[in-house]
Amino acid sequence: MTYISDSIGDSQLSEDLRSVRAVINGYIQNTPEMIRSAVERLLADGGKMLRPAMVVLAGRYGDFDGNRIYSLAAAVEMLHNATLVHDDIIDEAETRRGKPAMHTIHGSKLAILLGDYMFSGCFVMASRNSRIDQYDKLAKAVARVCEGEILQDTEKFIFNPSIRKYKRRIASKTAVLFSLSLYLGAKEAGCSEDICNIFVRIGYNIGMAFQIIDDILDFNGRTDKVGKPVTGHDMQEGIFTLPAIFAMQSDNGELAKLFNEPPYSPESIAQALTLINKSGAIEKAKAVAELYSQRARREIARLEPGYTSQQLEKITGQLLSRNF
């Protein structure tokens, strides 16, 4: 398994993330075997643990207490993975990170229950060591993520969505968890509210850049690196992201013709991918991601120079060139 800490060469953070995984493993060890094996498989096939890494990095900016910080980081990782399980069911995605999605193995009913189990585990782990006001932040984050999913579903097949609506959607779906992760770590470590708010803004901007790059990879990423088919899947599902929105702003009618009557055939999606890649929309979307990265760097520069700011700077720098 490759963590974000491996990507930035941080052995201390790697050790921290192994401790976070140990908290999760300890939580699930006494559960029924089917639940334990399903959660273990999901985590083993997991991503780079970017969100729990942010909890830890912000926690190390203040008065670091491993028991409290690792529990919160584990809670965030469980929350994130629970949303992925439900996302895959909603999107009818067959794979997640290159492996069969949970619902394709266990069926949708059981996968929903497993996702619910991880949601509950998030709050149990957070309650063990952290302050009670942190639960409110976690609960509100869940509500925001659900809001983002609802917005995405209600806006499906609207082939000319506004950039404002797109940003609102990805802020709820993605940026909120990045902001939450950094805020929770800083707050638990006793940082002032002003410092915590700096971390909130860092997380928001990193999260926005991260999601825009993720959306770009649906057009030109490598399947073996992205972990899902790179076939314009979002458009196939009627979800129009920033590259498609930019391309439609300069459309001469070709894209509108392709998208006017869903469902879309594979031939229509292939044509759309060609037109969007030729339109310069990918480069425009990358420029927006770069803008958010620059904003994140400006906020990082407001922190005291040291370990946390250095590692957040490295993570931010990787976003525009990532292929995962």
Side-chain angles (χ1 to χ4, degrees):
M1 176 176 294
T2 303
Y3 296 143
I4 184 63
S5 51
D6 300 315
S7 301
I8 62 175
D10 185 345
S11 58
Q12 173 62 67
L13 186 56
S14 292
E15 184 62 33
D16 287 330
L17 293 178
R18 283 191 286 270
S19 296
V20 174
R21 282 295 301 273
V23 172
I24 298 175
N25 291 338
Y27 174 74
I28 65 175
Q29 68 178 350
N30 294 320
T31 60
E33 193 279 333
M34 196 284 294
I35 295 175
R36 183 175 66 256
S37 62
V39 175
E40 285 176 347
R41 177 189 168 277
L42 182 67
L43 295 174
D45 295 340
K48 290 179 174 285
M49 293 189 74
L50 179 55
R51 294 154 191 83
M54 290 186 170
V55 177
V56 171
L57 289 175
R60 287 199 174 278
Y61 190 80
D63 183 14
F64 185 82
D65 182 308
N67 288 332
R68 300 202 312 266
I69 297 299
Y70 295 150
S71 291
L72 274 176
V76 168
E77 182 69 356
M78 286 285 271
L79 170 58
H80 172 57
N81 279 281
T83 66
L84 296 183
V85 171
H86 287 174
D87 282 354
D88 288 341
I89 297 169
I90 293 168
D91 297 340
E92 299 180 346
E94 294 185 358
T95 61
R96 163 64 60 181
R97 297 162 180 158
K99 303 290 180 64
M102 186 78 76
H103 66 95
T104 66
I105 298 173
H106 301 289
S108 294
K109 180 179 179 180
L110 189 54
I112 290 171
L113 293 172
L114 286 167
D116 291 344
Y117 170 81
M118 287 190 283
F119 272 125
S120 67
C122 158
F123 290 98
V124 172
M125 285 187 287
S127 69
R128 287 178 172 173
N129 294 293
S130 61
R131 300 163 181 163
I132 194 167
D133 59 339
Q134 304 286 47
Y135 314 155
D136 178 63
K137 296 292 183 181
L138 283 165
K140 287 179 178 177
V142 172
R144 283 289 306 278
V145 171
C146 292
E147 176 186 310
E149 288 294 340
I150 292 168
L151 286 173
Q152 178 170 286
D153 194 65
T154 57
E155 293 169 2
K156 280 187 174 181
F157 298 106
I158 299 176
F159 69 85
N160 57 349
S162 69
I163 293 176
R164 181 183 63 82
K165 286 184 177 180
Y166 166 77
K167 289 182 177 180
R168 180 185 174 193
R169 186 208 316 158
I170 68 170
S172 295
K173 279 192 61 182
T174 303
V176 64
L177 282 185
F178 283 76
S179 289
L180 173 73
S181 299
L182 287 169
Y183 178 88
L184 290 178
K187 188 71 173 178
E188 198 66 31
C191 295
S192 69
E193 198 63 25
D194 285 344
I195 293 297
C196 289
N197 286 332
I198 291 174
F199 279 112
V200 167
R201 293 191 292 273
I202 293 170
Y204 172 81
N205 287 299
I206 290 178
M208 294 294 283
F210 182 94
Q211 186 58 54
I212 292 169
I213 294 297
D214 195 64
D215 291 339
I216 290 171
L217 290 173
D218 191 48
F219 292 86
N220 64 2
R222 286 174 52 189
T223 299
D224 62 325
K225 293 293 185 180
V226 178
K228 60 183 179 180
V230 180
T231 57
H233 175 77
D234 289 337
M235 290 190 297
Q236 184 75 58
E237 296 297 315
I239 300 168
F240 296 96
T241 56
L242 196 57
I245 294 170
F246 277 140
M248 285 185 279
Q249 288 179 343
S250 58
D251 180 37
N252 61 5
E254 292 181 272
L255 283 172
K257 184 178 179 180
L258 291 171
F259 292 139
N260 198 37
E261 295 183 8
Y264 309 133
S265 68
E267 293 76 18
S268 294
I269 295 298
Q271 286 181 271
L273 284 169
T274 299
L275 291 170
I276 291 168
N277 277 289
K278 287 182 177 179
S279 70
I282 301 293
E283 290 70 24
K284 289 181 71 174
K286 284 182 178 178
V288 177
E290 172 64 35
L291 177 62
Y292 280 110
S293 294
Q294 291 173 358
R295 290 174 179 171
R297 289 188 176 100
R298 285 199 294 270
E299 293 297 332
I300 292 169
R302 299 180 64 190
L303 300 173
E304 289 292 329
Y307 171 74
T308 295
S309 60
Q310 289 171 1
Q311 302 312 90
L312 287 175
E313 176 68 32
K314 289 180 182 179
I315 290 172
T316 304
Q318 286 203 346
L319 290 182
L320 292 181
S321 60
R322 74 185 182 92
N323 56 10
F324 56 88

